[in-house]
Amino acid sequence: MQQIVCPKCKARVDASLNFCPGCGSALPLPNSRGGNSGGKLTQVNQQHVANAILNEGKKKENPKVSLAVGVITAVLVIGVIAYLIISAGGSSSATPTVADSINASNVESSNQVPESSDSAIVPTTESSQESTSENSTEVSEENPEESMAEPVASEVVITAEKPDDWSDIYVYVYTDDMFKNANWPGEIMTANGDGTYSYAISSSFADKNTFLVFSTSQLNKGAKLSKQFPYMSDNGYSLSEKNTFTVSDFETYANEKANK
């Protein structure tokens, strides 16, 4: 078989072809190289021409476009594979929630064993817990004051009428152990606007034997009553017996003392 050289790509081709099967370029006329003188393409030559045109078209394709198409195709394939893997995993186990994560963390922390130290809390057995309970009961029985909180009493408000010949009225509050509200004559009482006076005794006097003495800083001219009730020779009024005092109470006391 006679061959010729393609003037464009320098490939050796069959001399009977009119076009190069490699690059598709026209070959020299048959009359100038012998062979096919009819000027018509044979079936074989037509196939070679078609292949040459197809190869030439592939060569003219933009390599960047081909690269982009390949990358996109690869990404899509990877995405589909990943989706199928995740779907398969999700069907076999439920997706963990935030609550599940917290519960798992709590379980893990509760299963951890504390390091050995003097201050570490070591879990006790049932027998040791019973022993601890018995010891705490014995301590409570031996020291009942430590196991019970001291009751806190609210304030006690006392009221008293001021005698007409008193310019003011004070109350002196004291206990058996001489715990007092203030130095003599105590603290002045507050007027209520209806002829009575009031004073709030602090809760510090709760559960104590508390006594009251009413007095005035000075008597008006022509005063008929004493400067204080009860008198200095007697104990004060017991708060446990009453907390409201009237002028009649003071007068009765004065009359009893005068008749003795």
Side-chain angles (χ1 to χ4, degrees):
M1 179 185 297
Q2 184 178 2
Q3 293 184 338
I4 63 174
V5 177
C6 174
K8 184 175 181 180
C9 66
K10 306 303 181 181
R12 297 185 66 83
V13 298
D14 190 353
S16 63
L17 301 178
N18 293 327
F19 294 90
C20 176
C23 64
S25 300
L27 298 175
L29 295 176
N31 292 335
S32 62
R33 52 183 166 80
N36 186 10
S37 61
K40 295 182 180 180
L41 297 177
T42 64
Q43 184 175 0
V44 175
N45 198 16
Q46 290 175 358
Q47 183 65 37
H48 283 299
V49 172
N51 292 335
I53 295 174
L54 180 62
N55 292 334
E56 186 68 15
K58 291 181 179 180
K59 291 180 180 181
K60 292 182 179 181
E61 288 182 356
N62 192 336
K64 294 182 179 180
V65 175
S66 300
L67 178 61
V69 172
V71 171
I72 293 173
T73 302
V75 171
L76 292 176
V77 171
I78 294 173
V80 171
I81 294 174
Y83 175 78
L84 293 176
I85 294 174
I86 294 174
S87 299
S91 61
S92 60
S93 61
T95 303
T97 62
V98 175
D100 295 334
S101 300
I102 295 175
N103 293 334
S105 176
N106 292 337
V107 172
E108 182 179 357
S109 62
S110 64
N111 291 333
Q112 293 179 352
V113 179
E115 297 180 358
S116 176
S117 64
D118 294 340
S119 60
I121 300 176
V122 181
T124 59
T125 61
E126 182 177 357
S127 59
S128 62
Q129 291 177 352
E130 293 177 354
S131 175
T132 303
S133 177
E134 292 176 358
N135 293 336
S136 61
T137 303
E138 293 176 0
V139 171
S140 300
E141 292 176 353
E142 293 176 359
N143 303 296
E145 294 181 357
E146 296 181 0
S147 61
M148 297 178 60
E150 182 179 357
V152 179
S154 60
E155 293 180 339
V156 176
V157 177
I158 61 173
T159 59
E161 292 180 345
K162 181 179 73 65
D164 294 338
D165 53 356
W166 283 18
S167 59
D168 48 33
I169 181 169
Y170 284 76
V171 61
Y172 181 68
V173 184
Y174 70 96
T175 64
D176 288 338
D177 54 0
M178 294 311 295
F179 179 72
K180 54 190 177 182
N181 64 336
N183 292 328
W184 179 264
E187 293 185 335
I188 193 168
M189 300 183 70
T190 303
N192 296 324
D194 58 355
T196 63
Y197 292 76
S198 61
Y199 178 79
I201 299 178
S202 171
S203 58
S204 301
F205 289 87
D207 301 329
K208 297 179 181 291
N209 291 328
T210 305
F211 303 93
L212 312 173
V213 177
F214 299 95
S215 64
T216 180
S217 59
Q218 78 180 68
L219 292 172
N220 295 331
K221 186 177 181 180
K224 297 179 181 180
L225 292 178
S226 175
K227 193 173 181 179
Q228 74 175 57
F229 295 102
Y231 295 161
M232 187 181 299
S233 58
D234 295 333
N235 291 329
Y237 295 108
S238 176
L239 181 61
S240 62
E241 294 179 1
K242 61 186 305 182
N243 58 7
T244 301
F245 302 87
T246 64
V247 172
S248 178
D249 294 330
F250 300 149
E251 290 177 343
T252 300
Y253 172 82
N255 291 334
E256 290 176 353
K257 297 300 288 185
N259 294 330
K260 286 184 179 181

